[in-house]
């Protein structure tokens, strides 16, 4: 969990403070790899993949987030709707 939290914070830093989307994605993927049931990491990775146009990958992570943490459904739902629209 400690590695996951560190990677998650790194990803946020790279993405929002430095604008380095490539390194942010690396950190997000590492966070999810270290803890595949971490809802916040899944959500952030799903959103970033969606932003990069990787719709099917994004859907997998966003759906996992919603399934693992039902209280995040209201946050995840708009992105899942967007995934559905982009699939068509």
């Amino acid at each position: 969990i400690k590695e996951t939290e560190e990677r998650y914070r790194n990803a946020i830093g790279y993405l929002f403070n430095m604008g380095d989307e490539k390194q942010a994605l690396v950190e997000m993927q590492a966070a999810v790899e270290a803890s595949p049931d971490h809802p916040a990491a899944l959500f952030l990775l799903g959103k970033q993949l969606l932003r990069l146009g990787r719709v099917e990958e994004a859907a997998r992570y966003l759906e996992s987030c919603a399934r693992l943490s039902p209280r995040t459904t209201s946050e995840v739902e708009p992105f899942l709707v967007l995934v559905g629209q982009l699939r068509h």
Side-chain angles (χ1 to χ4, degrees), residues 25-69:
L25 185 60
V26 168
E27 293 293 331
M28 289 175 213
Q29 290 169 324
V32 169
E33 186 176 305
S35 186
D37 59 348
H38 190 283
L42 291 165
F43 184 51
L44 190 62
L45 178 55
K47 286 190 338 183
Q48 183 63 12
L49 288 167
L50 190 59
R51 181 178 167 150
L52 296 173
R54 294 164 61 175
V55 177
E56 294 305 318
E57 288 175 274
R60 188 170 58 244
Y61 292 109
L62 292 168
E63 290 165 356
S64 292
C65 175
R67 187 174 50 257
L68 288 168
S69 182

Side-chain angles (χ1 to χ4, degrees), residues 1-16 18 20-36 38 40-46 48-49 52 54 61:
I1 288 287
K2 184 177 181 181
E3 178 185 354
T4 302
E5 294 298 327
E6 184 176 322
R7 294 288 193 157
Y8 180 75
R9 283 191 303 275
N10 288 346
I12 290 171
Y14 281 115
L15 184 60
F16 298 112
M18 296 185 225
D20 188 343
E21 292 189 15
K22 184 177 179 181
Q23 189 59 38
L25 185 60
V26 168
E27 293 293 331
M28 289 175 213
Q29 290 169 324
V32 169
E33 186 176 305
S35 186
H38 190 283
L42 291 165
F43 184 51
L44 190 62
L45 178 55
Q48 183 63 12
L49 288 167
L52 296 173
R54 294 164 61 175
Y61 292 109

